[in-house]
Amino acid sequence: MVAPPDNDVLWARSLTYSHNGSPALDNVSLGVREGEILAVNGLRGSGKTTLLQCLSGQLVPQEGEVWFDSSPVHTMSPLLRERLRRDRFGWIGPEPALVPELTSWENAALPLLMRGTPHRAAKSAALEWLERLDIGACARKRPYALFRSQQQRVAVARALVTEPSVVFADEPTAPLHRKDRAQVLRTLTTAARSHRITVVLATLDAEVATLADRTVTLVDGRRDTASRSPEAEGQAACSLSV
């Protein structure tokens, strides 16, 4: 194993993964700096979701390495990877996946409550994040009473409420209209920057690149190097030890 560069909070080398014999990732390497917002762009089926799942410890790559803060995620036990996801990572998917019986603040507070945070402290943190995401007025509403964009902002609050080191966002605005999509992305990136939270954002939308610090593109499970600018090549050279 090769230790990751000191300036990368998240680092992957030569990731390879197949679903039922169908290649999803093929020799993908990348590094993500602390506080950076990295957009992973590509068409459907390009491997974006699989990459995020490998980086976050949901999947173990069949080949390659994943490191978080100099710890090898790919060799961790299932229990350690679960704790890592609970304590240090946040996840936002294309569906809000809110608990219908809970109010907005209860949904947002859920990760803290599951960690044993006292009820009052968890509620206070959840309400604070809902306010930051311009949805504080909906704190007592249940998911059925919210617009889709509001539901997704509750999901963003849920991912950020523990102030994780890294948030993985897998097509978080795919089902939204253009205006709502832009608003959710702005609130996510603004909140992340204010708290130095690293974000790895998988998206089909090329416009997301304007909100990210850097963009990498996947084509059929491989990094597309043809479209990289000289600046991006320099960043990659500093991030990767190949």
Side-chain angles (χ1 to χ4, degrees), residues 63-84:
E63 295 181 26
E65 305 171 14
V66 177
W67 295 74
F68 168 71
D69 269 356
S70 300
S71 297
V73 179
H74 56 290
T75 61
M76 290 180 179
S77 68
L79 179 59
L80 286 178
R81 286 188 284 112
E82 182 181 343
R83 288 177 179 171
L84 179 65

Side-chain angles (χ1 to χ4, degrees), residues 114-229:
M114 293 178 67
R115 283 167 49 168
T117 302
H119 185 274
R120 180 174 294 182
K123 182 177 182 179
S124 177
L127 291 174
E128 183 178 347
W129 275 106
L130 291 174
E131 286 290 345
R132 289 174 183 167
L133 294 167
D134 298 323
I135 198 173
C138 298
R140 296 188 179 277
K141 292 183 179 180
R142 287 180 168 78
Y144 73 87
L146 303 177
F147 294 116
R148 185 58 177 274
S149 61
Q150 293 172 327
Q151 293 177 1
Q152 197 68 338
R153 274 185 280 168
V154 174
V156 172
R158 181 181 58 196
L160 294 171
V161 72
T162 60
E163 298 190 14
S165 298
V166 184
V167 168
F168 299 92
D170 182 22
E171 299 283 3
T173 60
L176 302 180
H177 296 298
R178 185 184 184 90
K179 180 180 178 181
D180 291 335
R181 184 167 67 239
Q183 183 180 31
V184 168
L185 283 173
R186 280 197 302 270
T187 53
L188 168 62
T189 54
T190 299
R193 290 189 192 285
S194 68
H195 285 72
R196 293 288 295 170
I197 295 173
T198 302
V199 177
V200 183
L201 173 64
T203 180
L204 288 164
D205 191 347
E207 293 183 15
V208 172
T210 63
L211 298 173
D213 299 306
R214 186 163 50 99
T215 300
V216 299
T217 300
L218 293 183
V219 178
D220 296 332
R222 296 181 65 90
R223 280 194 65 173
D224 178 17
T225 59
S227 60
R228 278 198 232 166
S229 66

